[in-house]
Amino acid sequence: MNELAKKAGISQPGLRSACFKGTNPTDSTLNKLSHVLGRPALELYNLAHEGRLEATLQDEACLSNARDALVREIFETAAELGLSAPKNKPPKNTIKEALLTLGFCSNS
């Protein structure tokens, strides 16, 4: 754990707390870890905040804010990776694959 913390440029207690369920690691910590681990920042964000989106979506008043935050996170991550938005709307199959990769699942 010491070695990973050093490579990521974060403290060992910071890394340890980021690993505990129910904690709220900062975006900066997740970005640093994603670079060291070679994983997309959005993947680590999803792991760190697993279950929070579902709880938020239960409250209709928060739905719009949650959707805006999710879209903003997608575009911020794309910008961090040097990616730009597609010129044309992607096919439904591509969108479906992306949603499943992000952890979306069927309600039925």
Side-chain angles (χ1 to χ4, degrees), residues 6 13 24-26 29 36 44 51 55 65 77 89 95 97 101:
K6 285 178 186 176
N24 192 14
T26 65
T29 297
V36 171
L44 294 183
N65 289 339
T77 302
K89 181 181 173 187
I95 295 171
E97 272 183 48
T101 300

Side-chain angles (χ1 to χ4, degrees), residues 2 16-17 28 47 49 55 60 81 85 101:
N2 267 339
R16 188 178 297 122
S17 70
S28 173
L47 289 171
H49 300 292
E60 287 296 321
L81 297 171
T101 300

Side-chain angles (χ1 to χ4, degrees), residues 1-10 12 15 36:
M1 190 170 277
N2 267 339
E3 187 177 329
L4 180 59
K6 285 178 186 176
K7 284 182 181 179
I10 57 177
Q12 186 179 5
L15 176 60
V36 171

Side-chain angles (χ1 to χ4, degrees), residues 15-58:
L15 176 60
R16 188 178 297 122
S17 70
C19 295
F20 291 124
K21 189 171 179 89
T23 61
N24 192 14
T26 65
D27 291 343
S28 173
T29 297
L30 294 174
N31 285 331
K32 289 175 182 179
L33 284 173
S34 74
H35 290 297
V36 171
L37 297 173
R39 306 299 300 183
L42 188 56
E43 183 178 330
L44 294 183
Y45 184 87
N46 284 336
L47 289 171
H49 300 292
E50 190 173 37
R52 293 186 187 180
L53 184 59
E54 292 83 6
T56 302
L57 296 179
Q58 298 301 319

